Amino acid sequence: MSNVERRDKELVYISDDEVFEEQKIARRLTQKLNTVDRADFDSIKEIVKELLGKTEGDAFINPPFYCDYGSHIEVGKNFFANYNCTMLDVGRIRIGDNVQLAPNVAIYTAGHPVHPATRNTLYEYGIDVTIGNNVWIGGNVVICPGVTIGDNTVIGVGSVVTKDIPAWSVAAGNPCRVIREITEVDRNKQFAGREIDEEAWRDILRIQREEDDIAKYPTANK
């Protein structure tokens, strides 16, 4: 079995010449993305579309952005990643619809054996990461290999996510843990429990009513 095949089966592998040839594609495209005119939004969208393995709609990434392959990253509709995002996509990174990443988010599928005698043979691994629909990841969050984050969840600033996080949760900390559920009480709230002003709230209701998309504008279970 080749090292590329081993890698794609989530087995330990060594980065040989075949692996490095695949990585060269992403390095050229990320260099192109990270040096493009930052005000040329259309060009950014086109480079992102070429870089990522699967996109639905106009995915947008604010450069700089770093990844190993790009082709191992799948994003849904309305994806947005802010400045200085890093995705070590040795394993697959699958991201749902309407997901937003704040600055300095890092998603790591890559890892190395714990024992130094094994690690020093240069064997490594990649374990898939999955992020559901309507998820907001706060700034400076690190997501570790193998993690699944459920739909409609918020991960707080500075968290290190080492284990799965369920849907409809506010979770934060190091290690990241569920703080509370998201309910309909949160629907008209902004920062730290402050209520959205009446003018904006009327417009929010109008937008939701006109788009009539229950997947994009879900109702909490409680």
Side-chain angles (χ1 to χ4, degrees):
M1 189 183 302
S2 72
N3 279 299
V4 167
E5 291 171 326
R6 294 186 62 83
R7 179 200 66 199
D8 292 347
K9 290 179 181 293
E10 296 188 333
L11 301 174
V12 292
Y13 74 100
I14 290 177
S15 291
D16 58 12
D17 288 343
E18 186 179 8
V19 171
F20 285 133
E21 282 300 315
E22 289 191 355
Q23 291 184 3
K24 286 179 182 179
I25 298 170
R27 293 191 180 211
R28 293 186 180 106
L29 285 171
T30 52
Q31 181 176 356
K32 184 178 179 182
L33 175 63
N34 293 338
T35 56
V36 72
D37 179 356
R38 301 295 173 85
D40 189 349
F41 300 136
D42 290 336
S43 291
I44 290 173
K45 289 178 182 178
E46 287 302 314
I47 298 168
V48 169
K49 187 175 181 179
E50 186 179 0
L51 174 64
L52 302 187
K54 179 182 177 182
T55 61
E56 295 184 24
D58 291 333
F60 193 88
I61 296 174
N62 260 332
F65 173 74
Y66 307 97
C67 66
D68 283 328
Y69 298 93
S71 58
H72 294 175
I73 302 169
E74 302 177 2
V75 303
K77 294 179 284 188
N78 305 316
F79 174 73
F80 174 78
N82 219 326
Y83 306 107
N84 207 38
C85 179
T86 298
M87 296 190 188
L88 298 187
D89 58 327
V90 173
R92 299 282 168 177
I93 298 174
R94 299 180 177 91
I95 298 175
D97 295 338
N98 311 307
V99 171
Q100 300 176 2
L101 309 184
N104 302 308
V105 167
I107 302 175
Y108 302 150
T109 69
H112 304 269
V114 171
H115 197 289
T118 305
R119 185 170 63 248
N120 290 343
T121 64
L122 301 183
Y123 268 93
E124 57 187 304
Y125 60 82
I127 308 297
D128 297 355
V129 167
T130 301
I131 298 173
N133 300 315
N134 309 315
V135 173
W136 175 25
I137 309 294
N140 295 293
V141 167
V142 175
I143 299 172
C144 295
V147 163
T148 294
I149 297 174
D151 294 343
N152 310 307
T153 284
V154 175
I155 306 296
V157 168
S159 300
V160 178
V161 188
T162 61
K163 296 181 179 180
D164 293 353
I165 302 295
W168 289 105
S169 299
V170 175
N174 182 8
C176 187
R177 68 190 189 284
V178 174
I179 296 173
R180 65 177 181 86
E181 291 183 313
I182 295 172
T183 72
E184 284 303 286
V185 173
D186 297 297
R187 199 173 187 100
N188 70 333
K189 300 296 192 300
Q190 50 153 314
F191 177 73
R194 297 180 188 178
E195 289 193 0
I196 294 170
D197 65 274
E198 291 185 7
E199 181 181 7
W201 183 240
R202 286 195 299 270
D203 196 44
I204 287 168
L205 293 176
R206 176 192 62 79
I207 293 168
Q208 294 174 349
R209 183 174 59 252
E210 290 178 358
E211 292 192 22
D212 191 25
D213 186 341
I214 60 174
K216 187 176 181 181
Y217 305 117
T219 299
N221 296 325
K222 295 181 181 181

